[in-house]
Amino acid sequence: MAAEMKDHSARRGKIDVREASAVDAAAIAGIYNQGIEDRIATFETEPRSEAAIRDWLKSERPAIVVVENNGPPVAFALASSYRDRPCYSGIYEFSVYTRRDKRGFGYGRMAMDRLIETARDNGAWKLVSRIFPENTSSRALCAALGFREVGTYERHGKLNGQWRDTVIVEKLIDEENRQADG
């Protein structure tokens, strides 16, 4: 990933990583819709409206964070409950998206760093996700953040009429606390 990272730090300006709010809905929708169009990051096929994103922000999601660089958000990461059963209450499923023209600048990593911190503060002990095998940027980001690939779901879903596999990633985010307790 480091080799792919574009060096534009002198042009970055003021970067803010924070919890998302309703004012971010349009930017988040735009970023997410690019991910939908690219067909490399989600099984979703229908664009999301600003109103739909506002509903996300009102929901009981554990966390949605955005990264700003002198303007509207350029990246976001979100965590949602993995399953409804109480035994899974400390596991969050995550996604991260970066605006197409801002990919490779480290904004996705910044969003994930904050999401991991927020999830841990909210009592999570593990983050999981599924990534299309050809989404090498997301896989590299996850590896750089200490996620491990634990397997592949074959023919996990159809996208544009084609079966797609997904790579399963996970990270124990309370590892420091667990080692201290041991």
Side-chain angles (χ1 to χ4, degrees):
M1 172 106 178
E4 296 175 22
M5 184 74 68
K6 298 172 187 169
D7 183 17
H8 295 279
S9 55
R11 297 189 327 197
R12 273 197 180 156
K14 183 182 180 313
I15 295 172
D16 188 25
V17 184
R18 60 174 175 75
E19 186 175 330
S21 70
V23 300
D24 303 314
I28 291 171
I31 295 165
Y32 189 57
N33 289 338
Q34 286 181 351
I36 292 170
E37 291 169 9
D38 292 344
R39 298 293 197 259
I40 195 169
T42 180
F43 281 105
E44 297 294 338
T45 58
E46 296 298 319
R48 292 296 189 269
S49 67
E50 184 177 343
I53 300 303
R54 275 199 203 97
D55 288 343
W56 274 9
L57 294 166
K58 291 178 193 173
S59 73
E60 294 297 316
R61 292 183 189 276
I64 301 177
V65 299
V66 294
V67 179
E68 295 178 322
N69 182 2
N70 293 321
V74 297
F76 75 94
L78 66 91
S80 54
S81 297
Y82 173 68
R83 299 280 190 267
D84 290 338
R85 293 175 58 195
C87 63
Y88 299 123
S89 65
I91 302 174
Y92 295 168
E93 189 167 9
F94 75 91
S95 296
V96 59
Y97 292 88
T98 302
R99 202 172 77 193
R100 207 178 274 133
D101 64 330
K102 298 297 183 179
R103 294 176 188 161
F105 293 87
Y107 298 115
R109 170 133 193 183
M110 290 176 212
M112 283 301 298
D113 284 340
R114 176 61 63 87
L115 186 75
I116 291 167
E117 177 185 315
T118 301
R120 185 183 297 121
D121 291 348
N122 288 340
W125 56 275
K126 183 194 242 183
L127 289 175
V128 299
S129 194
R130 293 169 311 278
I131 303 170
F132 292 141
E134 65 275 12
N135 191 342
T136 56
S137 295
S138 287
R139 291 175 69 187
L141 171 61
C142 286
L145 289 168
F147 284 82
R148 68 185 191 111
E149 294 185 355
V150 296
T152 300
Y153 286 133
E154 294 180 359
R155 295 172 45 133
H156 193 60
K158 282 189 175 183
L159 183 62
N160 296 335
Q162 300 292 315
W163 283 110
R164 301 290 296 274
D165 297 344
T166 57
V167 175
I168 310 152
V169 297
E170 72 173 3
K171 178 179 175 83
L172 298 175
I173 61 172
D174 72 338
E175 193 63 25
E176 301 85 23
N177 296 339
R178 207 161 59 95
Q179 289 176 354
D181 291 343

